[in-house]
């Protein structure tokens, strides 16, 4: 598929769906699939946003296409690895909120994690992944709280 699409010159880049493996399990719900990432880029027509050091942002000079075949992403082998990385992401994201001038209101400390949990478990059907989906939804809700709490702490500094 990559050879086929890159023969044409109609797109500057392509979004690729990812099969995320978390704790050794292919995770098809809870917002982890298709998890499109802009990863196939035409040289000279794509650049990275220098202000985004985590979860980078690509700027294209032209339209983007979508691939059908998924890329296997061996994401996190253990819960411990997942938790350690999520603490780093939450810290980074809290800093981004502050830099953007967004200071979460107190009520958002409760509503944000609840929305995150609902979004992952119900809207993105995390329940279809059983206990695995429930655990991921709960962990992501917790780290939403960590991010918001950290942003509120930093605004007082």
């Amino acid at each position: 598929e990559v050879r086929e699409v890159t023969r044409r010159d109609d797109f500057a880049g392509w979004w690729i769906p990812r099969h995320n493996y978390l704790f050794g399990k292919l995770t098809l719900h809870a917002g982890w699939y298709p998890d499109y990432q802009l990863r196939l880029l035409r040289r000279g027509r794509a650049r990275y946003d220098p202000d985004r050091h985590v979860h980078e942002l690509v700027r294209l000079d032209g339209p983007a296409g979508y691939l059908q075949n998924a890329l296997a992403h061996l994401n996190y082998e253990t819960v411990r690895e997942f938790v350690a990385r999520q603490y780093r992401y939450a810290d980074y994201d809290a800093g981004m909120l502050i830099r953007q001038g967004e200071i979460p209101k107190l009520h958002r400390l409760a509503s944000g994690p609840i929305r995150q949990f609902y979004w992952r478990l119900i809207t993105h059907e995390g329940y279809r992944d059983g206990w695995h989906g429930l655990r991921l939804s709960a962990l992501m809700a917790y780290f939403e709280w960590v991010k918001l709490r950290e942003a509120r702490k930093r605004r007082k500094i």
Side-chain angles (χ1 to χ4, degrees):
E1 182 180 14
V2 169
R3 284 189 194 113
E4 180 185 315
V5 300
T6 55
R7 282 189 198 113
R8 302 187 320 255
D9 195 35
D10 49 350
F11 294 112
W14 290 266
W15 292 92
I16 304 173
R18 288 196 306 190
H19 275 154
N20 282 291
Y21 288 84
L22 294 108
F23 323 137
K25 291 186 63 134
L26 174 59
T27 307
L28 296 174
H29 302 94
W32 293 93
Y33 180 80
D35 187 31
Y36 280 98
Q37 301 294 313
L38 191 53
R39 290 290 184 262
L40 181 58
L41 310 171
R42 196 170 295 284
R43 204 175 307 167
R45 294 181 62 191
R47 62 196 175 291
Y48 287 97
D49 183 334
D51 295 329
R52 292 283 296 269
H53 303 286
V54 174
H55 296 125
E56 60 279 343
L57 182 63
V58 177
R59 305 284 187 199
L60 294 178
D61 297 326
Y66 285 82
L67 297 186
Q68 299 299 309
N69 293 291
L71 175 72
H73 185 220
L74 306 177
N75 215 332
Y76 303 99
E77 288 184 29
T78 66
V79 173
R80 173 182 237 141
E81 179 187 357
F82 179 88
V83 166
R85 181 106 37 98
Q86 292 307 311
Y87 272 116
R88 288 195 306 271
Y89 287 158
D91 184 63
Y92 177 82
D93 290 344
M96 289 291 290
L97 287 175
I98 296 299
R99 283 189 290 285
Q100 295 166 356
E102 187 178 333
I103 299 165
K105 301 221 182 305
L106 188 58
H107 73 275
R108 203 163 146 212
L109 285 173
S111 66
I114 291 168
R115 278 198 308 275
Q116 179 73 217
F117 182 76
Y118 183 89
W119 182 71
R120 292 205 176 259
L121 190 68
I122 305 303
T123 305
H124 284 285
E125 301 179 337
Y127 64 85
R128 294 183 66 191
D129 285 321
W131 287 110
H132 180 65
L134 177 65
R135 174 173 55 178
L136 283 171
S137 298
L139 282 166
M140 294 305 290
Y142 171 73
F143 284 105
E144 179 71 9
W145 178 79
V146 170
K147 172 185 79 177
L148 297 171
R149 181 198 64 195
E150 182 61 28
R152 282 188 59 80
K153 275 192 337 192
R154 287 185 190 183
R155 77 157 168 87
K156 295 176 183 176
I157 297 173

